[in-house]
């Protein structure tokens, strides 16, 4: 996606031939670059740059008064970050090499081919944009505090990984390039996308669409719209979401499910910022920033031939991966409090308190549905709440109905580590010894996960609290006997 769709600063074209300037301007404007300044006198360039910031300079090499070579040296001195493209009618290799050595980014030979000009300009602006983004990222890494914490107000977290994601979003939000957000279901991918839009400064709308169920015709019609008579029932023209999101952000959720034919159309939108409405032979220019999300691994889809390589590399320019809730357990009590406050206000009820055991119980659960699942659990528990203190029973029934805590993966599949045990005849342990050892390990892990709460640990293990208490005493006695054996004198 290219900055020229909504330039904040002009592209400056310098050439002593008025006809050449008109040709450059017409080509650039027809390509979507609307902020063009032309100068036909090389002596006006430096005074103009002293008062104005520019995005890119196209500079003719052979001009009266001041040559392009002379101007280039002064331009690099006063605005070293602005890319300069040299234009020359003379295929003078020595002059071009000298200009490149003095800081020109590229050169174009006259007569200028229109497509060649567009590609050179687009490449130069993309390089400049990447340099600016890298500078912002470096500044962001050095600055510990968020510049705009209000943009993330709806995301409840204190996790360091999430805070690092916020800083990265601040750095890449002004970019026009696509952003790919990955993460499991319920982690808050759309909230991150909205935050990026708010930080971007774009004046248009944030438009979200889930494309998981789209076939190719529906995708094209939804995004690009159609003209009258495009198909049976198309009695009038209808704009698509690209037009609705003009000047803003288009959020494409579940992009990993996009059919291959639709991927070609999306690629053109990303590369050229243009598209065909359904039933039309006329191209339309687009001014929209694409943010996409997926819970699938599109790298794997690419390797299997189910996702286009060129689209893949376009989308991964900027990537944000949201960690699952089970990897940030310290967020659970904050989210619990937040959802209780929110639901109590909506129901016009007094916010209940809860026993610390509840937090330990929730921390022991894998949350395959992540924050969305916790939100539903809290809402259900509050609806069933009747006493002063919030009961843990609703949570316990849900958790132990869904499956043993910490034994399910992101998609609820069994992830029992005991399935991976493998022994040979040489290292096969005695059954009694192995059983005792595994029991000790499981008890120790359950007590660690439950922060020492025997009631929660017993539920994790699937036994009664009394049985766990007896086993803990037995383990303690065994350890004590082992220490006595070590202290006993050798015979």
């Amino acid at each position: 996606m290219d900055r020229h769709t909504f330039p904040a600063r002009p592209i400056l074209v310098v050439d002593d031939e008025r006809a050449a300037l008109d040709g450059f301007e017409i080509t650039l404007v027809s390509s979507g670059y609307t902020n063009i300044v032309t100068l036909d006198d090389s002596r006006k360039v430096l005074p103009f740059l002293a008062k104005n910031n520019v995005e890119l300079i196209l500079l003719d090499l052979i001009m009266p008064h001041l040559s392009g070579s002379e101007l280039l040296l002064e331009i690099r001195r006063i605005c070293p970050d602005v890319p300069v493209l040299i234009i020359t009618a003379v295929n003078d290799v020595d002059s071009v090499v000298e200009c490149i050595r003095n800081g020109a980014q590229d050169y174009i030979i006259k007569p200028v081919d229109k497509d060649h000009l567009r590609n050179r300009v687009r490449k130069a602006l993309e390089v400049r944009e990447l340099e600016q983004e890298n500078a912002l990222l470096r500044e962001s890494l050095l600055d510990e505090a968020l510049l705009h914490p209000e943009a993330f107000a709806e995301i409840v977290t204190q996790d360091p990984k999430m805070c690092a994601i916020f800083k990265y979003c601040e750095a890449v939000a002004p970019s026009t390039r696509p952003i790919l957000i990955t993460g499991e279901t319920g982690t808050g991918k759309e909230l991150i996308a909205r935050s990026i839009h708010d930080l971007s400064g774009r004046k248009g709308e944030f438009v979200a669409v889930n494309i998981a169920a789209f076939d190719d015709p529906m995708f094209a019609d939804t995004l690009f719209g159609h003209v009258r008579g495009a198909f049976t029932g198309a009695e009038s023209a209808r704009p698509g979401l690209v037009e609705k999101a003009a000047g803003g952000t288009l959020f494409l959720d579940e992009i990993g499910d996009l059919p291959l034919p639709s991927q070609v159309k999306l690629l053109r939108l990303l590369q050229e910022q243009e598209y065909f409405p359904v039933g039309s032979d006329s191209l339309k220019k687009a001014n929209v920033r694409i943010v996409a999300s997926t819970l699938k691994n599109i790298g794997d889809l690419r390797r299997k031939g189910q996702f286009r390589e060129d689209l893949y590399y376009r989308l991964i320019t900027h990537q944000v991966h949201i960690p699952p809730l089970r990897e940030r357990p310290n967020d659970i009590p904050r989210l619990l409090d937040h959802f209780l406050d929110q639901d109590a206000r909506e129901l016009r009820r007094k916010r209940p308190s809860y026993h610390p055991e509840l937090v330990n119980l929730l921390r022991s659960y894998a949350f395959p549905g992540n924050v969305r699942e916790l939100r539903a659990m809290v809402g259900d528990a509050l609806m069933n709440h009747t006493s002063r203190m919030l009961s843990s029973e609703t949570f316990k029934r849900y958790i132990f109905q869904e499956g043993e805590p910490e034994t399910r993966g992101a998609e609820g599949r069994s992830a029992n580590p005991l399935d991976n045990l493998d022994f040979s005849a040489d290292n096969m342990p005695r059954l009694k010894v192995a059983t005792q050892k595994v029991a000790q390990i499981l008890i120790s892990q359950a007590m660690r996960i439950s922060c020492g709460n025997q009631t929660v640990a017993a539920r994790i293990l699937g036994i009664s609290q009394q049985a766990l208490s007896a086993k803990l005493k037995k383990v303690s006695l065994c350890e004590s006997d082992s220490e006595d054996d070590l202290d006993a004198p050798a015979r």
Side-chain angles (χ1 to χ4, degrees), residues 16 152 180:
D16 63 306
F152 306 98
L180 179 65

Side-chain angles (χ1 to χ4, degrees), residues 269-450:
L269 178 68
L270 292 176
Q271 286 182 330
E272 308 297 336
Q273 276 287 282
E274 58 189 24
Y275 62 96
F276 287 98
V278 176
S280 173
D281 295 327
S282 301
L283 275 173
K284 296 191 74 172
K285 299 301 294 184
N287 174 12
V288 63
R289 203 268 186 85
I290 299 294
V291 178
S293 76
T294 179
L295 55 80
K296 293 184 176 180
N297 187 326
I298 61 172
D300 287 344
L301 295 178
R302 175 183 62 86
R303 285 185 285 272
K304 295 175 182 176
Q306 298 171 4
F307 204 90
R308 290 181 62 93
E309 287 206 11
D310 42 12
L311 179 58
Y312 171 78
Y313 290 118
R314 273 277 170 181
L315 288 173
I316 64 170
T317 304
H318 299 305
Q319 295 184 74
V320 175
H321 178 71
I322 308 176
L325 184 57
R326 62 183 172 277
E327 292 182 8
R328 40 192 179 102
N330 289 335
D331 280 348
I332 289 176
R334 293 196 63 177
L335 287 164
L336 177 60
D337 289 335
H338 174 73
F339 292 145
L340 284 174
D341 288 337
Q342 196 174 65
D343 285 352
R345 283 195 303 270
E346 291 178 1
L347 296 172
R348 296 182 180 180
R349 297 169 63 176
K350 185 176 180 180
R351 178 192 182 281
S353 58
Y354 55 84
H355 195 278
E357 171 194 324
L358 177 58
V359 173
N360 293 332
L361 174 67
L362 294 175
R363 281 175 169 163
S364 73
Y365 181 54
F367 281 104
N370 291 287
V371 178
R372 186 184 295 125
E373 185 178 18
L374 176 59
R375 178 73 180 84
M377 291 168 65
V378 173
D380 184 48
L382 196 60
M383 290 298 294
N384 293 316
H385 169 66
T386 55
S387 60
R388 183 180 61 83
M389 181 170 284
L390 185 67
S391 172
S392 299
E393 288 306 313
T394 302
F395 295 93
K396 290 175 181 177
R397 282 196 301 270
Y398 177 89
I399 288 174
F400 293 105
Q401 177 183 346
E402 289 296 306
E404 295 297 327
E406 292 208 337
T407 63
R408 291 182 176 267
E411 299 178 4
R413 296 185 300 270
S414 174
N416 192 336
L418 296 179
D419 292 340
N420 297 322
L421 294 179
D422 187 20
F423 299 104
S424 65
D426 296 331
N427 66 357
M428 181 73 70
R430 296 287 185 178
L431 182 59
K432 183 176 180 180
V433 173
T435 303
Q436 292 174 345
K437 184 62 178 178
V438 170
Q440 289 178 16
I441 293 172
L442 292 176
I443 291 169
S444 175
Q445 292 290 326
M447 291 297 291
R448 178 186 61 78
I449 293 167
S450 66

Side-chain angles (χ1 to χ4, degrees), residues 35-52:
N35 197 351
I36 312 295
V37 174
T38 60
L39 294 176
D40 59 4
D41 188 336
S42 59
R43 294 172 295 184
K44 298 178 181 179
V45 174
L46 297 179
F48 179 84
L49 293 177
K51 297 180 180 179
N52 301 277

Side-chain angles (χ1 to χ4, degrees), residues 181 188-200 202-209 241 244-253 288-293:
I181 304 173
K189 296 187 286 295
E190 184 169 342
L191 288 177
I192 290 290
R194 287 183 180 275
S195 297
I196 290 171
H197 171 73
D198 293 341
L199 291 164
S200 70
R202 296 180 69 87
K203 304 302 182 184
E205 293 183 39
F206 175 88
V207 178
V209 57
L241 296 183
K244 182 179 179 182
T249 302
L250 180 60
F251 175 58
L252 303 179
D253 195 15
V288 63
R289 203 268 186 85
I290 299 294
V291 178
S293 76

Side-chain angles (χ1 to χ4, degrees), residues 129-139:
E129 187 173 5
L130 284 173
E131 290 173 348
Q132 292 172 333
E133 289 168 11
N134 288 336
L136 285 171
L137 280 171
R138 287 193 295 270
E139 292 176 9

Side-chain angles (χ1 to χ4, degrees), residues 70-299:
E70 293 172 310
L71 266 178
L72 176 62
L73 294 174
E74 290 300 309
I75 291 172
R76 304 317 298 161
R77 183 179 62 82
I78 62 176
C79 44
D81 296 331
V82 177
V84 178
L85 301 183
I86 294 295
I87 303 169
T88 178
V90 181
N91 195 0
D92 186 344
V93 176
D94 292 337
S95 298
V96 170
V97 170
E98 182 184 0
C99 289
I100 298 295
R101 285 175 177 170
N102 289 333
Q105 187 178 108
D106 207 343
Y107 67 94
I108 302 173
I109 302 295
K110 289 183 178 180
V112 178
D113 178 78
K114 293 181 180 180
D115 289 335
H116 187 67
L117 175 63
R118 293 189 189 101
N119 291 334
R120 294 291 201 217
V121 169
R122 181 172 61 197
K123 179 182 176 182
L125 291 176
E126 286 178 349
V127 170
R128 175 163 171 74
E129 187 173 5
L130 284 173
E131 290 173 348
Q132 292 172 333
E133 289 168 11
N134 288 336
L136 285 171
L137 280 171
R138 287 193 295 270
E139 292 176 9
S140 175
L141 291 173
L142 292 174
D143 188 2
E144 294 184 359
L146 289 171
L147 298 176
H148 300 284
E150 69 280 1
F152 306 98
E154 292 190 37
I155 304 173
V156 179
T157 184
Q158 59 182 5
D159 187 81
K161 295 189 289 294
M162 292 296 292
C163 294
I165 288 171
F166 295 166
K167 292 179 69 176
Y168 179 79
C169 290
E170 282 191 333
V172 301
S175 167
T176 59
R177 302 168 78 83
I179 294 181
L180 179 65
I181 304 173
T182 60
E184 297 176 7
T185 182
T187 50
K189 296 187 286 295
E190 184 169 342
L191 288 177
I192 290 290
R194 287 183 180 275
S195 297
I196 290 171
H197 171 73
D198 293 341
L199 291 164
S200 70
R202 296 180 69 87
K203 304 302 182 184
E205 293 183 39
F206 175 88
V207 178
V209 57
N210 189 312
I211 58 178
F214 284 180
D215 58 14
D216 184 57
M218 186 181 295
F219 172 82
D221 187 41
T222 302
L223 260 66
F224 307 137
H226 61 254
V227 297
R228 181 181 179 184
F231 48 83
T232 303
E235 298 178 355
S236 61
R238 184 180 69 84
L241 296 183
V242 171
E243 190 169 336
K244 182 179 179 182
T249 302
L250 180 60
F251 175 58
L252 303 179
D253 195 15
E254 302 305 342
I255 199 158
D257 293 320
L258 191 63
L260 284 169
S262 299
Q263 292 177 26
V264 178
K265 296 168 184 173
L266 179 59
L267 179 64
R268 183 179 186 89
L269 178 68
L270 292 176
Q271 286 182 330
E272 308 297 336
Q273 276 287 282
E274 58 189 24
Y275 62 96
F276 287 98
V278 176
S280 173
D281 295 327
S282 301
L283 275 173
K284 296 191 74 172
K285 299 301 294 184
N287 174 12
V288 63
R289 203 268 186 85
I290 299 294
V291 178
S293 76
T294 179
L295 55 80
K296 293 184 176 180
N297 187 326
I298 61 172

